[in-house]
Amino acid sequence: MAGGPPKALQSTGPYSLRDMPHPLAGSSSEEAVGGDSTPSPDLLMARSFGDKDLILPNGGTPAGTSSPASSSSLLNRLQLDDDIDGETRDLFVTVDDPKKHVCTMETYITYRITTKSTRAEFDLPEYSVRRRYQDFDWLRSKLEESQPTHLIPPLPEKFVVKGVVDRFSEEFVETRRKALDKFLKRITDHPVLSFNEHFNVFLTAKDLNAYKKQGMALLTRVGESVKHVTGGYKLRSRPLEFAAIGEYLDTFALKLGTIDRIAQRIIKEEIEYLVELREYGPVYSTWSALEGELAEPLEGVSACIGNCSTALEELTDDMTEDFLPVLREYILYSDSMKSVLKKRDQVQAEYEAKLEAVALRKEDRPKVPADVEKCQDRMECFNADLKADMERWQNNKRQDFRQLLMGLADKNIQYYEKCLMAWESIIPLLQEKQETK
């Protein structure tokens, strides 16, 4: 960067996220995106977090179409691509085969991590290692240290309330396995994180503990600068686009938190209702032993309530195992994004403090020191990486929630269809008695 007067804090201004090249990348990374007009920053953020969320990929389903003939056709109408960006995948990671280990000091679960890749960074085409939760936690910490400008996917919460959730139950272990599998797949799909040295070691090292003790890689220079204390300097203001991201994340987390609390109450009430149904149905069965002509209809009602109980239990399990984990993952995701925003603000504050120090020098045309130029490069790098990750996160969110809500609708339709069929089965029994009379 050539010397000259201090530069003011740069912003992408009216440009779209896709129009912004990485400041440290070559000209080959500058890709223009078609468009006849350039929106203002305010319109840009509104469109990014508003209208864009309503666009259906792959054609979608136009408004006004008739409802499907059966619940299974709902999922058939939702076509989701495995690869959002249409990139050619060369790294595949799966988490499966949880095993319980009982030692003298502790009991814990390990998971098998299977990796298949054609990348040159891997010596073998396939690896299989076992990892426990604390290993995943170590990986995430290392990614945060070495890639501070990027959004690191969240892990499922480690601690559970003792006596309320059994962390060794099959249901809990399976839910955690799915979350850990998604965590690694998020990293695998990332164009930068997937090439991280620590990620490679996590996937391939037979003895990960030995690597942890060695401490091969220290914090990167960018990471060190993020932790730099700016001497109490207060950030003037975030650029409009980042301020809009912060406001969006606050509202998004608030809405998801509310939905999560209400959904948990609904599940609790459904479980209580399920207990009542299981006591309610057998009463009709015992009553039928006292009746003559009513015996068969009463038995039918008992069986009907039993079928409804089974259907409700399946619906509750789906809510607990499939719906709630996605909500909680994205609540944690918003916290991760806020953390990256805070780090970006620290770099901007450092840059502004250095600019002021240069401006206070009694020189006609003060030369910008190299450390100020480097700080500006770090800030621009932060801005580009953060916006790219935000766009990727928005794409993932739209796809995940479209699939989640479609699944929720499908499960509810199946539940009500089963209850309807159960109650309709009683009608012929009652009609037969009326015809006999």
Side-chain angles (χ1 to χ4, degrees), residues 124-142:
L124 301 175
E126 183 172 348
Y127 292 86
S128 179
V129 296
R130 298 200 72 84
R131 300 284 183 255
R132 56 187 297 186
Y133 181 89
Q134 67 180 26
D135 297 329
F136 288 85
D137 193 39
W138 170 86
L139 171 63
R140 191 178 189 282
S141 298
K142 286 300 181 183

Side-chain angles (χ1 to χ4, degrees), residues 8-130:
L9 179 63
Q10 291 189 351
S11 169
T12 59
Y15 295 103
S16 169
L17 302 184
R18 292 184 180 274
D19 292 335
M20 289 300 299
H22 197 291
L24 303 183
S27 59
S28 61
S29 65
E30 298 179 0
E31 299 179 358
V33 177
D36 298 331
S37 59
T38 304
S40 66
D42 295 337
L43 290 177
L44 169 65
M45 298 311 298
R47 188 174 65 186
S48 297
F49 304 135
D51 295 343
K52 191 174 179 182
D53 283 354
L54 302 178
I55 299 175
L56 293 176
N58 309 316
T61 303
T65 53
S66 58
S67 59
S70 65
S71 61
S72 60
S73 63
L74 280 174
L75 295 179
N76 294 333
R77 288 164 54 186
L78 182 66
Q79 300 297 323
L80 297 173
D81 296 331
D82 291 335
D83 193 344
I84 296 175
D85 298 325
E87 301 168 349
T88 302
R89 292 173 180 261
D90 54 5
L91 179 62
F92 299 87
V93 180
T94 58
V95 179
D96 60 10
D97 189 28
K99 286 186 177 180
K100 184 177 181 180
H101 301 261
V102 181
C103 304
T104 9
M105 300 297 294
E106 62 176 339
T107 302
Y108 59 93
I109 303 292
T110 63
Y111 304 85
R112 180 175 61 189
I113 316 297
T114 303
T115 304
K116 297 180 181 180
S117 178
T118 57
R119 291 183 181 180
E121 292 80 10
F122 295 91
D123 296 330
L124 301 175
E126 183 172 348
Y127 292 86
S128 179
V129 296
R130 298 200 72 84

Side-chain angles (χ1 to χ4, degrees), residues 138 197-198 201 205 207-217:
W138 170 86
E197 174 192 10
H198 301 293
V201 171
D207 186 5
L208 187 61
N209 289 328
Y211 177 80
K212 291 179 183 179
K213 294 176 182 178
Q214 291 175 5
M216 289 173 53

Side-chain angles (χ1 to χ4, degrees), residues 262-273 316:
I262 295 175
Q264 289 188 62
R265 290 202 301 267
I266 291 174
I267 291 173
K268 182 176 179 292
E269 292 172 359
E270 286 178 343
I271 292 175
E272 293 173 351
Y273 177 49
T316 304

